[in-house]
Amino acid sequence: MSTAESITIDKNGKLSVPGHVIIPFIEGDGIGPDIWRATQPVLDAAVEYAYKGDRKIEWKEINAGEKGYQKTGQWLPEQSLEAIRQHVVAIKGPLTTPVGKGMRSLNVTIRQVLDLYACVRPVKYVPGVPSPMKHPENINMVVFRENTEDLYAGVEFQAGSPEAEKLISFLKDEMNATIAAGAGIGIKPMSAKNTKRLMASAIVYARDNGYPSVTLMHKGNIMKYTEGAFATWGYEAAREQFGDITVTEDEVYEKYNGTAPEGKIVIKDRIADMLFQQVLLRPEEFGVIATPNLNGDYISDALAAQVGGLGMAPGANIGDQCAVFEATHGTAPKYAGRNKVNPSSLILSGAMMLDHMGWTEAADRIRSCLAETVKNGKVTYDLARQIKGSCKLCCSEFGEAIVENICSYPEKC
């Protein structure tokens, strides 16, 4: 009989993680089964290496996407959502978006239904991975993307539909707005509550992980009452909740001669298009980036391109009650079942999950041994074609090579 237990949350909002823990997983669609089969042994090996049997994971499969539809007739079964709520932490592969099924995106739906308001995307260079940057080693940023509002809230109406025409008429007649006839129309909601909780989580992350700054990314010079308000509310959250550990960039120059006081996190903001330039030219100036939904989508993928692409980019969607860690790329159906693609995104997301659980020794082991595997030239096809003299491995072989490093070479990893 299994002795595994679920993670719980205590009265202070902290995770209580048993030594033998149940973690739900969703294989995902397309290449999902391939990358999960490569990932699970890596996670298990790292936990075993770090804790010598005192801690372990019992994996519980839950269904969503194509497998969910095949088994239950639903793309996102309620029992799968309830399993995530019950077990607090889960991990998933990429999910297809059902066409014409009344659901915009399964990934977006999971985030919104479970109120996973922070999409967290660390971007850090792994030595040996090909990069278009001259100094990719300077890239070490974490994007906190607000998940529940902005244009991804899904409040939009098709051009020519009765709903669009009614809304356009209202905006013209009552608000004196100028809108082209026959336009499609969408609403971009942003609120103080949701902005401030995202900013709070970004500051806590910066504090706990040693990042010197949090940058608010916005387009407030044009959209003053949505993105501009996002920046204003972000500064308010820092001042109201973290005044003892934060200082604004303006204060650094006005009061401290341009040098931030020891132990203070600098809060600053950048216009979105400017930030795209600056993370290329001066990446070392940025640590945590807090951003509305659409900006966060763009900047996280652009940063991933600087360190090897989405195949090397981990991610998580985190709320107050549960968290889902995920591969950040799509389902790549043309590669499904071919045991070919790079599983690093899901493997590194698994390391993020272990960090979230407080199992940092295992998480660190995964990251160091993945880096050692790449350094040794053992990589999947996407990297092999860019690294002269490398050894091209299939998806499962790459996972096996990481496991071998985890178990065999403690002095290197």
Side-chain angles (χ1 to χ4, degrees):
M1 183 176 178
S2 174
T3 59
E5 301 175 87
S6 301
I7 295 172
T8 57
I9 301 177
D10 67 22
K11 61 182 180 180
N12 296 315
K14 303 295 184 182
L15 297 190
S16 178
V17 183
H20 187 188
V21 62
I22 303 170
I23 301 293
F25 72 93
I26 298 170
E27 271 192 337
D29 300 322
I31 59 173
D34 288 346
I35 62 174
W36 175 249
R37 283 192 291 268
T39 296
Q40 182 183 332
V42 173
L43 302 182
D44 288 338
V47 170
E48 173 61 28
Y49 177 89
Y51 307 115
K52 305 297 187 281
D54 290 336
R55 299 179 186 178
K56 61 180 178 178
I57 296 172
E58 181 172 303
W59 300 103
K60 174 184 174 65
E61 184 173 12
I62 58 177
N63 297 309
E66 292 172 353
K67 186 178 285 189
Y69 189 76
Q70 291 167 1
K71 293 194 172 185
T72 69
Q74 297 177 302
W75 292 94
L76 187 56
E78 176 57 36
Q79 56 264 40
S80 296
L81 293 170
E82 184 55 38
I84 296 171
R85 294 188 190 99
Q86 176 186 348
H87 297 291
V88 181
V89 169
I91 187 169
K92 60 177 280 297
L95 292 173
T96 190
T97 296
V99 178
K101 301 296 182 182
M103 197 171 285
R104 297 168 59 83
S105 162
L106 294 178
N107 295 316
V108 171
T109 301
I110 289 171
R111 296 166 189 167
Q112 293 186 342
V113 170
L114 297 175
D115 197 26
L116 307 176
Y117 58 84
C119 179
V120 183
R121 295 275 296 272
V123 184
K124 186 174 182 179
Y125 180 63
V126 175
V129 173
S131 168
M133 303 293 289
K134 288 184 178 180
H135 296 287
E137 67 277 4
N138 292 335
I139 299 166
N140 182 11
M141 300 177 221
V142 184
V143 177
F144 270 70
R145 169 191 176 195
E146 207 289 319
N147 253 346
T148 66
E149 295 190 306
D150 198 4
L151 296 178
Y152 274 54
V155 186
E156 64 172 351
F157 305 100
Q158 185 176 4
S161 67
E163 295 85 358
E165 294 302 317
K166 184 176 181 179
L167 183 53
I168 290 171
S169 294
F170 172 79
L171 292 172
K172 284 183 174 180
D173 298 342
E174 302 294 331
M175 311 299 290
N176 199 32
T178 301
I179 300 173
I185 193 164
I187 305 296
K188 181 184 177 74
M190 291 191 186
S191 69
K193 174 188 173 183
N194 290 341
T195 298
K196 288 184 176 183
R197 66 179 181 174
L198 177 83
M199 187 61 172
S201 64
I203 293 172
V204 167
Y205 188 95
R207 179 197 66 194
D208 293 348
N209 293 277
Y211 285 91
S213 68
V214 176
T215 302
L216 289 149
M217 177 188 185
H218 63 94
K219 192 64 177 170
N221 58 326
I222 304 299
M223 291 171 278
K224 300 182 184 302
Y225 305 121
T226 51
E227 302 222 0
F230 177 89
T232 299
W233 293 326
Y235 278 113
E236 288 178 0
R239 183 176 65 252
E240 294 164 356
Q241 301 177 50
F242 303 95
D244 58 332
I245 63 168
T246 63
V247 61
T248 69
E249 186 176 48
D250 286 345
E251 289 171 336
V252 169
Y253 286 97
E254 292 169 0
K255 299 179 180 180
Y256 302 103
N257 199 30
T259 301
E262 186 73 23
K264 296 282 189 178
I265 297 168
V266 178
I267 308 300
K268 53 189 175 180
D269 70 283
R270 295 291 185 272
I271 301 300
D273 45 329
M274 181 192 300
L275 187 61
F276 273 100
Q277 175 185 229
Q278 292 184 346
V279 297
L280 287 167
L281 299 177
R282 305 197 296 272
E284 65 279 358
E285 294 183 7
F286 300 96
V288 176
I289 298 173
T291 168
N293 204 319
L294 190 60
N295 291 341
D297 195 8
Y298 296 152
I299 194 70
S300 57
D301 281 13
L303 288 173
Q306 297 180 41
V307 297
L310 289 177
M312 299 299 298
N317 298 288
I318 301 173
D320 293 332
Q321 300 303 315
C322 53
V324 177
F325 297 79
E326 65 179 357
T328 59
H329 52 71
T331 59
K334 73 175 183 177
Y335 293 113
R338 295 175 61 183
N339 192 25
K340 183 175 182 178
V341 299
N342 186 347
S344 294
S345 176
L346 191 60
I347 291 171
L348 292 170
S349 297
M352 280 184 72
M353 180 188 75
L354 294 173
D355 280 329
H356 185 72
M357 293 163 54
W359 294 13
T360 55
E361 299 87 355
D364 289 342
R365 186 70 178 167
I366 290 170
R367 284 185 286 264
S368 62
C369 287
L370 186 149
E372 182 70 17
T373 303
V374 173
K375 178 182 175 183
N376 291 338
K378 296 180 178 181
V379 292
T380 48
Y381 83 99
D382 55 315
L383 301 182
R385 61 190 176 187
Q386 303 176 69
I387 303 174
K388 187 176 181 179
S390 60
C391 175
K392 184 171 72 172
L393 304 178
C394 67
C395 180
S396 59
E397 288 172 338
F398 182 70
E400 290 165 2
I402 298 173
V403 170
E404 182 177 353
N405 278 333
I406 288 171
C407 297
S408 305
Y409 302 106
E411 72 283 358
K412 291 183 179 181
C413 296

